[in-house]
Amino acid sequence: MDDSPALRISGLTRSFGGLPALAGVDLELRRGEVVGLLGPNGSGKTTLINVISGVYRPTAGRVEVMGHDATGSAPEGLVRLGLNRTFQTPRPFRTLTLRENVSVALRHGRNPGQSEDEILQLCGLGGKGNLLAESLNSSEQKRLDLARALATGPDVLLVDELAAGMRHDELDGAAELLRGLAAAGRALLVVEHLMGFVRQVTHRVVVLNAGAAIFAGSLEEASQDPRVVEVFLGA
Ligand code: ADP
Ligand code: MG
């Protein structure tokens, strides 16, 4: 049991109106590991996160979370099994405070006794608990979204473009935060375009193109792989 990956997806496929946005993706994530999910715009990165996290049902394939079959489960079921995600475009409860936003997530999660303020602090939002979510800039909204996801107590965390739109001086902190979450035993799948950030944060990468995984390995190897180079130069 201990050996089973935190997340295992196999043959994951999702079509929209007959067009495959994901075509038979296999991927395993282990506890303690950060895997980067790369690929040009429209290659299916967000769709993969949406299908794994239960926003969309897969057309075919299987999702296992912490050794349990979670294929086709709704987002709440996946949260109970220990998986949550952040959104490329966060949608906080705008007229609630940061503390209230995290509190809602805590109540839907596995460790409802955690402290809102500690989670906000961890995500670089310490001292801002009384602000309304609508007053945050986009980088702060992304960190609030991460706080909301963490509040549910996930073992598997899918992070969709956290660093996009962050200021240069915020990136090191964000990288350190993600590495720390994995070092504490979580498994992370991180979608990001900024290569410096990907290099800092990830242990290995998977590259998607047109809904298929065309590469899995180190970032170093990816940058020398002719298929990967072609996809990024062609984009
Ligand atoms: P990425 O995150 O890699 O930029 P997406 O996963 O957002 O790419 O999109 C991949 C493809 O799936 C795109 O062609 C997009 O139009 C399509 N797609 C995603 N969601 C939907 C949807 N709800 N309905 C129709 N097509 C969709
Ligand atoms: Mg996307």
Side-chain angles (χ1 to χ4, degrees), residues 170-209:
E170 296 175 307
L171 293 175
D172 284 350
E176 205 174 305
L177 170 59
L178 294 181
R179 283 301 282 248
L181 295 176
R186 298 179 189 83
L188 269 68
L189 184 67
V190 171
V191 173
E192 209 61 68
H193 288 287
L194 274 174
M195 281 307 135
F197 190 83
V198 172
R199 185 168 296 110
Q200 246 180 308
V201 169
T202 65
H203 297 103
R204 59 188 178 91
V205 300
V206 171
V207 181
L208 284 187
N209 184 44

Side-chain angles (χ1 to χ4, degrees), residues 16 21 40-47 56 88:
F16 294 105
N41 280 334
S43 56
K45 304 179 298 294
T46 295
T47 302
Y56 297 138
Q88 190 171 345

Side-chain angles (χ1 to χ4, degrees), residues 94-115:
R94 297 179 56 81
T95 58
L96 297 186
T97 66
L98 274 59
R99 191 177 291 117
E100 288 164 342
N101 267 276
V102 174
S103 176
V104 170
L106 276 173
R107 270 181 266 138
H108 288 91
R110 308 198 299 168
N111 306 310
Q114 285 181 101
S115 142

Side-chain angles (χ1 to χ4, degrees), residues 24 29-30 39 41 72 75 79 102 107 117 120 141 143 145 163 182 190 208 229:
L29 283 186
R30 298 194 166 270
N41 280 334
V79 163
V102 174
R107 270 181 266 138
D117 286 352
L120 286 169
Q141 288 205 17
R143 279 181 277 144
D145 197 42
V190 171
L208 284 187
V229 170

